[in-house]
Amino acid sequence: VSTQSTGNQKKKKKIMAIVADYDLLLKIGVIGCRKVGKTRYINRYFDNSYDEDASKQFSVDFRVKDLEIEEKSVRIQVWDFQSLFNLAIRIENFCRGAHGIVIMYDVSNIDSFTFISDKLFNIEFQNSQLKNIPKILIANKIDLKTDPKISFDQGKKLADQFQIPFFEVSNKQSINIQQSFETIIIDTYNYRKNQLIQQQLIQQQQQQQQLNTNKSCLIL
């Protein structure tokens, strides 16, 4: 079984836990079809646990972890979005307010991969506010002994097409869980930090324009 992963390996910002207060909040959504392993993936990262009965049918839940990144206290909210394949609703409605997204499919379930490639990437992400936020693609359940229906190359090709990191993972064997989570956290942190800088610049420009307007009024 291939355990290869691709991501921004050069991004090695130090992540440390745990801090009480936080300077920055990051919301990360985990999405995909039923039974691809989203809940177990989250639990493995947060608790280093694996529960055969962890899957749920219809729910939205989230976990919280406090980290330190670049000497800033950062609170991570990871949202577990369930059963998207069966719900006739736009993904944007589920992920509104998210700063990053983990997209997951099951290597033994071709429908879960088709849903990702056709509906998410070619429709939802191209026509919504989610288009530009950080994402990673996860191929789960590589521990299965049967031959996977979706190869590493197929997943890698899809990720490369949309220029996002790709990981093959196993919740059961704890393969690439930490690495993939750290990648989306760092990408989301950088995205959110730059977003806030841009917002501050816009505010400063608006304040300066207001000052200039006030000065003009005084002169008149």
Side-chain angles (χ1 to χ4, degrees):
V1 176
S2 172
T3 60
Q4 300 181 60
S5 66
T6 63
N8 297 334
Q9 299 296 332
K10 61 182 180 181
K11 295 181 179 178
K12 293 295 184 181
K13 290 185 173 64
K14 192 173 184 181
I15 298 180
M16 300 174 62
I18 299 171
V19 291
D21 300 318
Y22 60 91
D23 303 312
L24 188 63
L25 174 66
L26 303 180
K27 298 179 182 179
I28 299 173
V30 182
I31 64 176
C33 298
R34 287 186 60 197
K35 298 184 178 180
V36 296
K38 299 184 295 295
T39 302
R40 294 189 184 98
Y41 175 70
I42 294 171
N43 290 344
R44 176 62 85 175
Y45 173 69
F46 278 84
D47 306 323
N48 194 26
S49 63
Y50 180 81
D51 182 358
E52 291 286 356
D53 299 322
S55 62
K56 298 170 285 187
Q57 287 190 343
F58 298 96
S59 67
V60 178
D61 198 2
F62 72 92
R63 302 287 302 273
V64 173
K65 177 175 276 194
D66 292 322
L67 304 172
E68 184 177 297
I69 307 175
E70 293 186 329
E71 299 183 351
K72 292 182 181 295
S73 55
V74 181
R75 174 155 293 180
I76 312 295
Q77 284 185 358
V78 178
W79 290 80
D80 181 359
F81 296 106
Q82 299 294 328
S83 305
L84 295 184
F85 184 76
N86 296 316
L87 298 178
I89 189 169
R90 287 183 59 82
I91 306 304
E92 184 179 7
N93 294 337
F94 269 93
C95 298
R96 182 172 289 127
H99 305 125
I101 298 178
V102 176
I103 307 153
M104 182 178 294
Y105 66 89
D106 174 351
V107 296
S108 67
N109 183 345
I110 196 164
D111 287 338
S112 69
F113 181 76
T114 302
F115 171 75
I116 293 295
S117 60
D118 292 351
K119 182 171 175 58
L120 289 191
F121 281 108
N122 292 321
I123 298 177
E124 296 286 353
F125 292 151
Q126 297 305 311
N127 301 286
S128 75
Q129 296 178 353
L130 303 176
K131 181 177 181 179
N132 296 319
I133 71 174
K135 306 174 188 70
I136 61 171
L137 181 62
I138 297 291
N140 196 12
K141 303 188 182 182
I142 58 169
D143 53 275
L144 295 179
K145 295 181 179 180
T146 56
D147 292 334
K149 295 180 180 178
I150 301 98
S151 68
F152 172 86
D153 290 340
Q154 286 175 286
K156 180 66 165 59
K157 182 179 179 181
L158 180 62
D160 287 347
Q161 180 181 347
F162 293 94
Q163 299 181 324
I164 64 174
F166 172 65
F167 291 87
E168 286 191 316
V169 310
S170 166
N171 299 331
K172 192 170 188 177
Q173 297 179 356
S174 193
I175 298 173
N176 282 334
I177 305 298
Q178 191 75 19
Q179 297 92 323
S180 59
F181 249 111
E182 288 188 357
T183 296
I184 189 60
I185 288 172
I186 291 301
D187 286 353
T188 303
Y189 170 80
N190 288 331
Y191 168 81
R192 185 64 177 144
K193 182 175 69 172
N194 292 332
Q195 190 180 51
L196 292 174
I197 290 172
Q198 291 300 317
Q199 290 175 359
Q200 290 173 353
L201 289 174
I202 292 172
Q203 290 176 354
Q204 290 172 1
Q205 291 172 355
Q206 290 174 341
Q207 290 172 355
Q208 186 60 49
Q209 289 174 355
Q210 186 62 45
L211 287 173
N212 293 338
T213 300
N214 293 339
K215 287 179 181 179
S216 299
C217 293
L218 289 173
I219 292 173
L220 294 174

